[in-house]
Amino acid sequence: MRADKLNFKRNLLLIIIFLILLSVSLIVALGLGHNLIKKYVESEFYSLKIDVLEETMEPYETFFQQAIPEVSYYQGYLDSLSASNYADSVLEKYPFVDHMIFYDSYISDRGITHGITIRNLGIGIKNIYRFGRNLPPDSTVIYQRKKPGELSLKNSDEFNNIGLKVASFIESADTTKNFSNETIFKVFYNITSNRISYLNVPRREEIALFQDLMNSKTEKAPEYEMDLFSFELNPYKLRIANKHQNIYQKTTIRELSYDPILEHTNILQTSIPLSGAFSDYKLYFSTDKNYLQGEVNRRFLPLAFGVFFIYFIIIFITFLIYRNFSISRKLFKLQYDFVNNLTHEFKTPVSVIKIAGNNIKSAQKLSLEEQRHYGKILDEEADKLNDLMNKLLSFTQIENKTIKVKQEEINPEIFSQNIIDGYQLKYPDYEIELDIKKNVKTFLSDPVLLTSIYQNLIENAYKYSKPGTKYLKITISRSRKNIVFSFKDKGIGISPAEMDNIFKKFYRIESEYNQQGSIGLGLAFCKELINLMKGDITVKSKEKTGSEFKVELPYIKK
């Protein structure tokens, strides 16, 4: 086996092994990537619930930090109308606020009908109003001090709870310092399940007056206005801001004690408790694993695309390497065949010349007929060597662009017939027909280069035809701005597999007709000449029927 074939097979085996390893690596990479993304998405299922909680509780936080403290802006002077306006704005903006109870209260050292009393200080209730959505008008007023009737414990319980905290604070408050936010939160807020109660925060001067009232009774002490609001909240009316719908299929608010019984092991579940007045409830999340798989696939696709992109780049590079190996092998084969054929082409005439020379040298006396015979042999073999050398030299000149195309006037009939006559003398069994269309007249071209094109195509038509079918028809016609030379034979034809290669340098069609020796330059030389003359050559062929070569050159008039 030749070294080039052995190396090619080794390289091909290495490329195949590399592609197998690369494909296995691709499968492993895709599998690992899919598993990692799956675990990451499942991890997000348990971690992103904080985002949903924060978004869901944001309206509550706004309500707690901004809407509730507005009560203090009125400094205790809210009446039923202004309280109703305030309640309407809160109910409209915050759907989770179901009802609001407004305690129009006061602080005094006089007798308190309903409220709490510590020493001389009393915190009492003048009126109680209830605000809510779709409440009948007669249910708005719960209690009025001016009207008889007892205040129920249910309606006064929340007031008493916060009143006791405020009274205790007044008793021990340091009025020389500002009240901290922690103190305000502990004293003036009362947060229980689904309820927030808030008493307007008095100024330090007012706290000092309340301390005086607590410790010493005056005869005509005024009543100091106080406003207390109790907000009844409904956690189920919180709008759940599920900003991760691709992760959480279902989000609901449940009681803290809710413990779902898993009926399907294919369900992922998690929860997170709410805060503040909703601390007895939690956000509950559940997602079917098949639903979560959609998010896994969505994130996996870009990764898979990237992996496949890199994979195909490597495949493309591998293909280029393989093609380079293949081209290198073909070039090696062409060069190998070229050297062999060229050696054979040179060796034959050289051997003939040497034999003829030896015969002449060894002969004692040569007759006139023998002299002519040996002279003819030497002349023919020298012409073969010269033709071969000229073709190689011309090819090199064409590639180096050192040949210049001359423009001389050519009569197509005279030019073609002279060449045909020469070949018919050389090959008596060669039938060549010439057909020149009427619209073709003289034109400008390079006669030397055109002659080379004729010779190569006429020689090939004879060489690749079986005995009895040595026929060639040359047709010269016009096609738009070109002159067309058609060379149609009845030879062995060219197989479709060879059609793309016949114009390549050093390429030879392997057949019985190529055993005489060929270096594979004829058609390649023709194509280079035609390209140099700014023309084109095409071929149509059918095996065992014949071939037709068409040469198109620019039609230039004198």
Side-chain angles (χ1 to χ4, degrees):
M1 184 180 291
R2 282 205 330 235
D4 62 312
K5 291 185 178 179
L6 183 61
N7 289 333
F8 180 76
K9 287 186 176 181
R10 287 175 179 173
N11 291 328
L12 183 60
L13 180 61
L14 289 174
I15 289 174
I16 293 173
I17 293 173
F18 172 74
L19 289 177
I20 293 173
L21 292 176
L22 183 64
S23 300
V24 172
S25 300
L26 172 69
I27 296 171
V28 172
L30 291 176
L32 289 175
H34 188 274
N35 287 335
L36 286 174
I37 290 176
K38 183 178 179 181
K39 290 183 181 298
Y40 184 76
V41 170
E42 289 182 356
S43 175
E44 281 190 343
F45 176 82
Y46 295 103
S47 62
L48 291 179
K49 58 186 179 183
I50 298 175
D51 291 347
V52 180
L53 174 66
E54 289 177 351
E55 289 287 331
T56 301
M57 294 297 291
E58 184 178 359
Y60 170 83
E61 296 296 334
T62 304
F63 163 73
F64 186 82
Q65 297 175 13
Q66 298 179 14
I68 292 178
E70 284 184 21
V71 176
S72 291
Y73 298 160
Y74 298 96
Q75 293 296 317
Y77 291 101
L78 275 171
D79 56 18
S80 60
L81 180 60
S82 55
S84 176
N85 292 334
Y86 168 74
D88 289 342
S89 66
V90 171
L91 291 169
E92 180 182 1
K93 193 172 182 180
Y94 303 102
F96 54 85
V97 180
D98 260 357
H99 301 91
M100 299 168 61
I101 299 177
F102 169 53
Y103 296 89
D104 184 11
S105 55
Y106 64 96
I107 293 180
S108 178
D109 63 348
R110 300 179 183 179
I112 300 298
T113 305
H114 292 290
I116 60 173
T117 301
I118 299 177
R119 295 202 292 272
N120 297 325
L121 182 67
I123 303 177
I125 302 173
K126 291 193 291 184
N127 304 294
I128 301 177
Y129 302 92
R130 183 179 179 85
F131 305 102
R133 297 179 183 85
N134 303 320
L135 287 179
D138 57 352
S139 66
T140 302
V141 180
I142 297 177
Y143 168 76
Q144 286 184 316
R145 181 174 61 175
K146 295 180 180 180
K147 294 182 179 181
E150 293 295 330
L151 180 65
S152 67
L153 291 176
K154 179 181 178 181
N155 292 323
S156 62
D157 186 57
E158 191 65 19
F159 176 84
N160 292 334
N161 289 334
I162 199 167
L164 286 172
K165 291 200 298 181
V166 171
S168 176
F169 170 73
I170 292 173
E171 184 179 28
S172 58
D174 184 359
T175 57
T176 62
K177 298 179 181 179
N178 290 327
F179 308 143
S180 65
N181 290 332
E182 183 180 0
T183 300
I184 293 173
F185 182 76
K186 288 182 178 180
V187 175
F188 299 96
Y189 284 89
N190 189 43
I191 301 175
T192 57
S193 179
N194 299 339
R195 181 184 293 273
I196 299 176
S197 297
Y198 176 80
L199 180 69
N200 68 284
V201 182
R203 296 187 294 271
R204 285 187 297 165
E205 296 82 0
E206 291 176 326
I207 296 295
L209 290 174
F210 297 159
Q211 286 178 339
D212 291 340
L213 290 177
M214 182 179 289
N215 297 321
S216 59
K217 188 174 182 179
T218 60
E219 293 182 0
K220 296 182 179 180
E223 291 183 352
Y224 296 93
E225 296 290 335
M226 300 289 287
D227 295 326
L228 172 64
F229 264 95
S230 183
F231 304 89
E232 298 177 5
L233 311 179
N234 186 348
Y236 297 110
K237 292 185 179 180
L238 278 172
R239 187 184 68 84
I240 300 175
N242 184 8
K243 59 188 294 186
H244 301 291
Q245 294 183 5
N246 54 329
I247 301 293
Y248 301 115
Q249 185 180 13
K250 186 178 180 182
T251 55
T252 55
I253 294 176
R254 304 282 191 178
E255 292 182 357
L256 201 61
S257 58
Y258 174 75
D259 187 16
I261 299 175
L262 284 178
E263 296 179 356
H264 304 285
T265 56
N266 206 38
I267 301 293
L268 289 177
Q269 296 177 340
T270 187
S271 62
I272 187 170
L274 302 178
S275 58
F278 300 137
S279 57
D280 289 342
Y281 298 84
K282 64 181 178 182
L283 268 176
Y284 177 75
F285 305 87
S286 63
T287 301
D288 192 299
K289 289 183 179 180
N290 293 328
Y291 178 85
L292 208 61
Q293 187 63 38
E295 177 64 14
V296 173
N297 293 338
R298 186 185 69 83
R299 298 189 186 187
F300 176 69
L301 282 178
L303 175 64
F305 176 78
V307 172
F308 273 110
F309 181 74
I310 296 172
Y311 175 77
F312 284 119
I313 288 178
I314 297 175
I315 289 291
F316 180 70
I317 294 172
T318 306
F319 167 73
L320 293 179
I321 294 172
Y322 169 76
R323 191 181 70 169
N324 185 51
F325 285 151
S326 181
I327 292 173
S328 298
R329 178 176 175 269
K330 289 179 180 179
L331 286 176
F332 181 85
K333 183 178 182 300
L334 289 173
Q335 291 172 359
Y336 179 83
D337 292 342
F338 170 71
V339 172
N340 284 342
N341 295 329
L342 188 63
T343 302
H344 182 271
E345 288 291 301
F346 272 101
K347 189 175 181 180
T348 301
V350 168
S351 298
V352 173
I353 291 171
K354 187 174 181 181
I355 292 171
N358 288 333
N359 289 340
I360 294 171
K361 182 179 178 182
S362 61
Q364 295 294 327
K365 186 178 179 180
L366 291 175
S367 64
L368 181 61
E369 185 179 349
E370 288 176 329
Q371 289 177 5
R372 289 176 179 175
H373 174 68
Y374 286 123
K376 182 181 178 182
I377 291 174
L378 292 174
D379 186 60
E380 288 178 351
E381 298 305 320
D383 284 342
K384 288 182 181 179
L385 289 175
N386 186 59
D387 182 63
L388 183 60
M389 294 301 298
N390 286 337
K391 188 174 289 187
L392 290 172
L393 180 61
S394 298
F395 213 115
T396 304
Q397 290 175 335
I398 291 172
E399 288 186 329
N400 294 330
K401 298 182 179 179
T402 57
I403 292 180
K404 292 184 179 179
V405 179
K406 298 177 181 179
Q407 300 293 345
E408 297 180 13
E409 187 175 10
I410 296 175
N411 184 308
E413 183 176 2
I414 297 173
F415 176 84
S416 300
Q417 195 62 52
N418 287 337
I419 298 175
I420 292 170
D421 291 343
Y423 272 96
Q424 287 183 329
L425 287 174
K426 184 178 179 180
Y427 304 118
D429 61 336
Y430 198 0
E431 181 185 352
I432 303 177
E433 181 184 347
L434 178 63
D435 181 15
I436 302 176
K437 302 301 180 183
K438 292 182 180 180
N439 59 348
V440 178
K441 297 181 181 180
T442 59
F443 62 97
L444 296 179
S445 187
D446 190 315
V448 176
L449 300 183
L450 190 58
T451 299
S452 295
I453 295 170
Y454 264 72
Q455 289 173 342
N456 278 282
L457 294 177
I458 293 173
E459 190 74 37
N460 276 357
Y462 182 82
K463 182 178 179 180
Y464 293 101
S465 296
K466 294 181 178 180
T469 60
K470 306 288 188 180
Y471 171 84
L472 177 66
K473 182 178 181 180
I474 301 175
T475 305
I476 304 175
S477 61
R478 286 276 307 277
S479 174
R480 297 181 182 178
K481 296 181 180 180
N482 295 332
I483 182 169
V484 181
F485 301 87
S486 170
F487 298 81
K488 188 173 183 180
D489 61 48
K490 295 180 179 179
I492 61 172
I494 305 168
S495 69
E498 307 282 0
M499 293 291 283
D500 295 333
N501 299 314
I502 59 175
F503 293 110
K504 294 179 180 179
K505 288 185 293 184
F506 310 127
Y507 185 83
R508 296 189 313 145
I509 298 176
E510 299 295 339
S511 71
E512 57 181 307
Y513 298 91
N514 245 339
Q515 301 306 314
Q516 302 175 25
S518 171
I519 58 174
L521 284 178
L523 289 176
F525 182 61
C526 279
K527 185 170 180 61
E528 291 295 332
L529 287 177
I530 293 165
N531 290 339
L532 183 66
M533 299 167 72
K534 301 186 184 325
D536 188 29
I537 182 171
T538 57
V539 59
K540 292 181 180 178
S541 184
K542 187 175 181 182
E543 286 187 280
K544 300 180 181 180
T545 301
S547 303
E548 180 183 9
F549 288 85
K550 280 189 177 181
V551 177
E552 292 191 35
L553 297 175
Y555 186 77
I556 304 173
K557 293 182 180 180
K558 186 174 180 181

PDB file of all heavy atoms in Angstrom, residues 42 66 71 75 81 177 207 322 325 348 362 381 467 486 537:
ATOM      1  N   GLU A  42     -35.715  24.098  40.207  1.00  0.00           N
ATOM      2  CA  GLU A  42     -36.335  23.606  41.442  1.00  0.00           C
ATOM      3  C   GLU A  42     -35.852  24.403  42.650  1.00  0.00           C
ATOM      4  O   GLU A  42     -36.627  24.659  43.583  1.00  0.00           O
ATOM      5  CB  GLU A  42     -36.026  22.124  41.618  1.00  0.00           C
ATOM      6  CG  GLU A  42     -36.759  21.224  40.629  1.00  0.00           C
ATOM      7  CD  GLU A  42     -36.469  19.756  40.849  1.00  0.00           C
ATOM      8  OE1 GLU A  42     -35.629  19.451  41.725  1.00  0.00           O
ATOM      9  OE2 GLU A  42     -37.067  18.912  40.146  1.00  0.00           O
ATOM     10  N   GLN A  66     -48.108  54.571  55.485  1.00  0.00           N
ATOM     11  CA  GLN A  66     -48.532  55.871  54.972  1.00  0.00           C
ATOM     12  C   GLN A  66     -49.995  56.178  55.270  1.00  0.00           C
ATOM     13  O   GLN A  66     -50.316  57.279  55.738  1.00  0.00           O
ATOM     14  CB  GLN A  66     -48.290  55.940  53.450  1.00  0.00           C
ATOM     15  CG  GLN A  66     -46.832  55.811  53.060  1.00  0.00           C
ATOM     16  CD  GLN A  66     -46.624  55.863  51.568  1.00  0.00           C
ATOM     17  OE1 GLN A  66     -47.515  56.249  50.810  1.00  0.00           O
ATOM     18  NE2 GLN A  66     -45.442  55.450  51.105  1.00  0.00           N
ATOM     19  N   VAL A  71     -54.022  59.537  60.156  1.00  0.00           N
ATOM     20  CA  VAL A  71     -54.973  59.878  61.229  1.00  0.00           C
ATOM     21  C   VAL A  71     -54.385  60.948  62.149  1.00  0.00           C
ATOM     22  O   VAL A  71     -55.091  61.841  62.641  1.00  0.00           O
ATOM     23  CB  VAL A  71     -55.355  58.617  62.036  1.00  0.00           C
ATOM     24  CG1 VAL A  71     -56.259  58.965  63.210  1.00  0.00           C
ATOM     25  CG2 VAL A  71     -56.021  57.598  61.117  1.00  0.00           C
ATOM     26  N   GLN A  75     -54.922  65.629  64.304  1.00  0.00           N
ATOM     27  CA  GLN A  75     -54.720  66.008  65.712  1.00  0.00           C
ATOM     28  C   GLN A  75     -55.968  65.827  66.573  1.00  0.00           C
ATOM     29  O   GLN A  75     -56.243  66.610  67.480  1.00  0.00           O
ATOM     30  CB  GLN A  75     -54.246  67.464  65.795  1.00  0.00           C
ATOM     31  CG  GLN A  75     -52.854  67.700  65.224  1.00  0.00           C
ATOM     32  CD  GLN A  75     -51.791  66.944  66.010  1.00  0.00           C
ATOM     33  OE1 GLN A  75     -51.810  66.913  67.241  1.00  0.00           O
ATOM     34  NE2 GLN A  75     -50.896  66.303  65.259  1.00  0.00           N
ATOM     35  N   LEU A  81     -67.899  63.442  59.088  1.00  0.00           N
ATOM     36  CA  LEU A  81     -67.774  63.697  57.664  1.00  0.00           C
ATOM     37  C   LEU A  81     -66.338  63.495  57.185  1.00  0.00           C
ATOM     38  O   LEU A  81     -66.093  62.785  56.200  1.00  0.00           O
ATOM     39  CB  LEU A  81     -68.236  65.123  57.344  1.00  0.00           C
ATOM     40  CG  LEU A  81     -68.143  65.527  55.859  1.00  0.00           C
ATOM     41  CD1 LEU A  81     -69.005  64.598  54.998  1.00  0.00           C
ATOM     42  CD2 LEU A  81     -68.564  66.987  55.672  1.00  0.00           C
ATOM     43  N   LYS A 177     -38.141  64.334  76.072  1.00  0.00           N
ATOM     44  CA  LYS A 177     -37.524  63.697  74.898  1.00  0.00           C
ATOM     45  C   LYS A 177     -38.584  63.390  73.842  1.00  0.00           C
ATOM     46  O   LYS A 177     -39.758  63.203  74.157  1.00  0.00           O
ATOM     47  CB  LYS A 177     -36.834  62.387  75.298  1.00  0.00           C
ATOM     48  CG  LYS A 177     -35.701  62.563  76.302  1.00  0.00           C
ATOM     49  CD  LYS A 177     -35.106  61.213  76.661  1.00  0.00           C
ATOM     50  CE  LYS A 177     -33.977  61.364  77.679  1.00  0.00           C
ATOM     51  NZ  LYS A 177     -33.403  60.040  78.046  1.00  0.00           N
ATOM     52  N   ILE A 207     -49.048  65.452  76.171  1.00  0.00           N
ATOM     53  CA  ILE A 207     -48.768  64.373  77.126  1.00  0.00           C
ATOM     54  C   ILE A 207     -48.484  64.959  78.510  1.00  0.00           C
ATOM     55  O   ILE A 207     -48.927  64.425  79.554  1.00  0.00           O
ATOM     56  CB  ILE A 207     -47.581  63.515  76.644  1.00  0.00           C
ATOM     57  CG1 ILE A 207     -47.922  62.797  75.322  1.00  0.00           C
ATOM     58  CG2 ILE A 207     -47.177  62.495  77.700  1.00  0.00           C
ATOM     59  CD1 ILE A 207     -49.028  61.791  75.455  1.00  0.00           C
ATOM     60  N   TYR A 322     -10.492  17.374   7.229  1.00  0.00           N
ATOM     61  CA  TYR A 322     -10.648  16.198   6.369  1.00  0.00           C
ATOM     62  C   TYR A 322     -10.490  16.572   4.900  1.00  0.00           C
ATOM     63  O   TYR A 322      -9.824  15.864   4.130  1.00  0.00           O
ATOM     64  CB  TYR A 322     -12.023  15.566   6.598  1.00  0.00           C
ATOM     65  CG  TYR A 322     -12.377  14.519   5.563  1.00  0.00           C
ATOM     66  CD1 TYR A 322     -11.812  13.253   5.605  1.00  0.00           C
ATOM     67  CD2 TYR A 322     -13.264  14.825   4.518  1.00  0.00           C
ATOM     68  CE1 TYR A 322     -12.128  12.298   4.651  1.00  0.00           C
ATOM     69  CE2 TYR A 322     -13.571  13.883   3.559  1.00  0.00           C
ATOM     70  CZ  TYR A 322     -12.998  12.623   3.630  1.00  0.00           C
ATOM     71  OH  TYR A 322     -13.294  11.688   2.689  1.00  0.00           O
ATOM     72  N   PHE A 325      -6.931  17.055   4.161  1.00  0.00           N
ATOM     73  CA  PHE A 325      -6.277  15.756   3.989  1.00  0.00           C
ATOM     74  C   PHE A 325      -6.600  15.172   2.615  1.00  0.00           C
ATOM     75  O   PHE A 325      -5.722  14.659   1.917  1.00  0.00           O
ATOM     76  CB  PHE A 325      -6.726  14.779   5.074  1.00  0.00           C
ATOM     77  CG  PHE A 325      -6.105  15.043   6.417  1.00  0.00           C
ATOM     78  CD1 PHE A 325      -6.783  14.708   7.585  1.00  0.00           C
ATOM     79  CD2 PHE A 325      -4.859  15.622   6.530  1.00  0.00           C
ATOM     80  CE1 PHE A 325      -6.222  14.946   8.825  1.00  0.00           C
ATOM     81  CE2 PHE A 325      -4.291  15.859   7.763  1.00  0.00           C
ATOM     82  CZ  PHE A 325      -4.973  15.532   8.914  1.00  0.00           C
ATOM     83  N   THR A 348       9.867   7.747 -23.540  1.00  0.00           N
ATOM     84  CA  THR A 348       9.597   7.102 -24.832  1.00  0.00           C
ATOM     85  C   THR A 348      10.346   7.772 -25.986  1.00  0.00           C
ATOM     86  O   THR A 348      11.099   7.102 -26.721  1.00  0.00           O
ATOM     87  CB  THR A 348       8.079   7.076 -25.093  1.00  0.00           C
ATOM     88  OG1 THR A 348       7.437   6.368 -24.034  1.00  0.00           O
ATOM     89  CG2 THR A 348       7.770   6.397 -26.431  1.00  0.00           C
ATOM     90  N   SER A 362      26.389   2.964 -35.044  1.00  0.00           N
ATOM     91  CA  SER A 362      26.982   1.636 -35.253  1.00  0.00           C
ATOM     92  C   SER A 362      26.991   1.209 -36.717  1.00  0.00           C
ATOM     93  O   SER A 362      27.657   0.246 -37.077  1.00  0.00           O
ATOM     94  CB  SER A 362      26.246   0.605 -34.401  1.00  0.00           C
ATOM     95  OG  SER A 362      24.885   0.540 -34.782  1.00  0.00           O
ATOM     96  N   GLU A 381      10.196  12.571 -32.884  1.00  0.00           N
ATOM     97  CA  GLU A 381      10.365  12.445 -31.437  1.00  0.00           C
ATOM     98  C   GLU A 381      10.810  13.773 -30.819  1.00  0.00           C
ATOM     99  O   GLU A 381      10.421  14.117 -29.702  1.00  0.00           O
ATOM    100  CB  GLU A 381      11.372  11.344 -31.113  1.00  0.00           C
ATOM    101  CG  GLU A 381      10.953   9.957 -31.573  1.00  0.00           C
ATOM    102  CD  GLU A 381       9.592   9.558 -31.042  1.00  0.00           C
ATOM    103  OE1 GLU A 381       9.295   9.865 -29.858  1.00  0.00           O
ATOM    104  OE2 GLU A 381       8.792   8.966 -31.792  1.00  0.00           O
ATOM    105  N   PRO A 467     -12.281   2.760 -32.679  1.00  0.00           N
ATOM    106  CA  PRO A 467     -12.084   2.607 -34.129  1.00  0.00           C
ATOM    107  C   PRO A 467     -13.424   2.530 -34.842  1.00  0.00           C
ATOM    108  O   PRO A 467     -14.356   1.854 -34.409  1.00  0.00           O
ATOM    109  CB  PRO A 467     -11.300   1.305 -34.243  1.00  0.00           C
ATOM    110  CG  PRO A 467     -10.593   1.171 -32.929  1.00  0.00           C
ATOM    111  CD  PRO A 467     -11.517   1.738 -31.915  1.00  0.00           C
ATOM    112  N   SER A 486     -18.175  24.821 -31.383  1.00  0.00           N
ATOM    113  CA  SER A 486     -18.693  23.550 -30.850  1.00  0.00           C
ATOM    114  C   SER A 486     -17.885  22.394 -31.432  1.00  0.00           C
ATOM    115  O   SER A 486     -17.718  22.304 -32.659  1.00  0.00           O
ATOM    116  CB  SER A 486     -20.172  23.391 -31.200  1.00  0.00           C
ATOM    117  OG  SER A 486     -20.619  22.089 -30.897  1.00  0.00           O
ATOM    118  N   ILE A 537     -15.729  27.736 -21.301  1.00  0.00           N
ATOM    119  CA  ILE A 537     -15.845  26.419 -21.923  1.00  0.00           C
ATOM    120  C   ILE A 537     -16.788  25.567 -21.098  1.00  0.00           C
ATOM    121  O   ILE A 537     -16.724  25.557 -19.864  1.00  0.00           O
ATOM    122  CB  ILE A 537     -14.461  25.733 -22.073  1.00  0.00           C
ATOM    123  CG1 ILE A 537     -14.620  24.382 -22.775  1.00  0.00           C
ATOM    124  CG2 ILE A 537     -13.780  25.573 -20.725  1.00  0.00           C
ATOM    125  CD1 ILE A 537     -13.294  23.746 -23.165  1.00  0.00           C
TER     126      ILE A 537
END
